[in-house]
Amino acid sequence: MKRVFVTRNLPGDSLDKLHRAGHEVDVWPEFLPPPRATLLEKAKGVSGLITMLEDKVDAELMDAAGPGLKVIAQYAVGLDNVDLEAAKLRGVVVTHTPGVLTDATADLAFALLAASARRVAEGYDYVRRGDWKTWHPELLLGPELHGATVGVVGFGRIGQAFARRARGFDMRILYFSRRRKPQAEAELGAEHVGLAELLAESDFVSLHTPLVPETLRLMNAERLSSMKEGSILINTARGKVVDTDALLTALEDGPLFAAGLDVSDPEPLPADHPLLAHPRVVVTPHIGSAGAATRVRMAEMVVDDVLSVLSGKEPTFPAKSS
Ligand code: DGY
């Protein structure tokens, strides 16, 4: 019997599998994450940890768990909260949930794009405030989706899935990524361009990069101010890919018409944050992967990989550098 600590309850019944395999499973029952001291305490002596993106998974946590720690299964595709090097040094296998959440995240990115361009949240506020007195030819005009140019920054699985949706709206697709993706270019009719060109030409820019040192505040003041006049920024990647103060400036005094954000810096975004006072900023609380079936499947993936590692087998979804 091995012990596994799970830092939040998971949808579906996958955790039963761990019980059935004879493991002792301790699930943090509260909605908010375990406080750091509690996390360190709970980790003591475990063989497996199932973690979320808000948990700081570092050397201190691994050492608190001790030498019996075999696997850390991250319930997310992003691993920016996990010190992969520290895990490698300690011989701890790290796994995550790639692929399964691609479509759900691309769906939400597109929903944010449509909502920001066509002013859905602003229109809803307008109606709720009782301002809807008449139909008017000039009421809440926004950029057209069809025929627009969209720039996809980061052209991995999620970026390509987003582009596929944009294609259905007859958009011209530009993309920026370190490596060209000829197959996806052919399938999606996408053009590989430099970031400066993408920002200057795109009506909508959607971010799909992981958070790594090279993408930290990639969208800084200079890049945001170089975006096309009247354009819209969508971020479903990580909040820290964008400089929040510069984003506010670009919305208030710069070229941006609107922004659709599923992630933010800080995250969570406090209710009195200036971004929320801007009428054309649409924010959702990091729910890109929150398709009901997707979240159940993510739970199956982390549990199956914990079971594999604890029984001496290779995991199906190892983190690349672990
Ligand atoms: C991820 O998987 O990295 C998302 O941000 C949460 O599902």
Side-chain angles (χ1 to χ4, degrees), residues 53 75-78 97 101 237-238 286 289 295 298:
L53 52 92
Y75 185 77
V77 64
T97 62
L101 45 73
R238 284 291 183 265
H286 204 147
S289 65
R295 287 282 171 87
M298 287 164 69

Side-chain angles (χ1 to χ4, degrees), residues 41-305:
E41 188 57 35
K42 289 277 184 187
K44 270 188 196 155
V46 301
S47 304
L49 282 169
I50 296 180
T51 57
M52 317 284 135
L53 52 92
E54 282 184 348
D55 303 319
K56 190 171 177 208
V57 183
D58 58 0
E60 186 188 27
L61 178 63
M62 296 173 207
D63 291 340
L69 181 64
K70 298 282 174 271
V71 57
I72 296 169
Q74 162 93 341
Y75 185 77
V77 64
L79 287 159
D80 44 282
N81 59 311
V82 181
D83 186 338
L84 294 175
E85 207 43 50
K88 196 171 170 183
L89 278 172
R90 289 161 180 77
V92 177
V93 176
V94 177
T95 74
H96 64 147
T97 62
V100 63
L101 45 73
T102 298
D103 284 310
T105 308
D107 285 345
L108 188 83
F110 210 85
L112 286 172
L113 171 53
S116 313
R118 297 307 307 275
R119 306 173 73 169
V120 173
E122 205 182 345
Y124 183 39
D125 281 346
Y126 180 86
V127 175
R128 286 209 298 188
R129 276 198 313 269
D131 289 345
W132 188 14
K133 306 290 185 219
T134 183
W135 187 92
H136 193 282
E138 290 176 320
L139 178 63
L140 289 172
L141 306 185
E144 309 275 0
L145 293 177
H146 65 273
T149 296
V150 67
V152 186
V153 179
F155 213 50
R157 274 182 292 248
I158 301 175
Q160 290 177 30
F162 175 82
R164 207 163 288 121
R165 284 149 181 75
R167 201 171 180 211
F169 280 70
D170 297 327
M171 293 188 192
R172 174 182 173 222
I173 299 161
L174 307 179
Y175 78 95
F176 169 71
S177 87
R178 272 172 307 164
R179 274 177 295 118
R180 273 188 84 150
K181 312 273 171 91
Q183 211 177 322
E185 276 180 33
E187 184 213 331
L188 299 164
E191 297 163 51
H192 184 252
V193 293
L195 185 54
E197 188 181 341
L198 181 147
L199 297 176
E201 288 198 18
S202 299
D203 301 297
F204 311 129
V205 172
S206 191
L207 305 177
H208 297 284
T209 62
L211 177 64
V212 289
E214 305 82 68
T215 59
L216 179 69
R217 311 233 157 73
L218 178 74
M219 294 307 291
N220 56 20
E222 191 188 333
R223 293 204 174 99
L224 285 162
S225 64
S226 75
M227 287 177 70
K228 186 173 174 178
E229 194 57 45
S231 61
I232 294 178
L233 181 74
I234 304 299
N235 190 6
T236 53
R238 284 291 183 265
K240 288 189 192 313
V241 176
V242 177
D243 178 328
T244 302
D245 290 341
L247 174 61
L248 264 169
T249 307
L251 283 158
E252 280 160 9
D253 303 312
L256 278 192
F257 175 76
L261 311 172
D262 185 47
V263 291
S264 58
D265 180 25
E267 186 173 315
L269 203 59
D272 61 354
H273 194 280
L275 267 180
L276 296 177
H278 192 285
R280 288 192 299 282
V281 174
V282 180
V283 183
T284 49
H286 204 147
I287 53 170
S289 65
T294 298
R295 287 282 171 87
V296 170
R297 179 70 192 119
M298 287 164 69
E300 287 165 2
M301 288 163 81
V302 288
V303 166
D304 287 349
D305 268 351

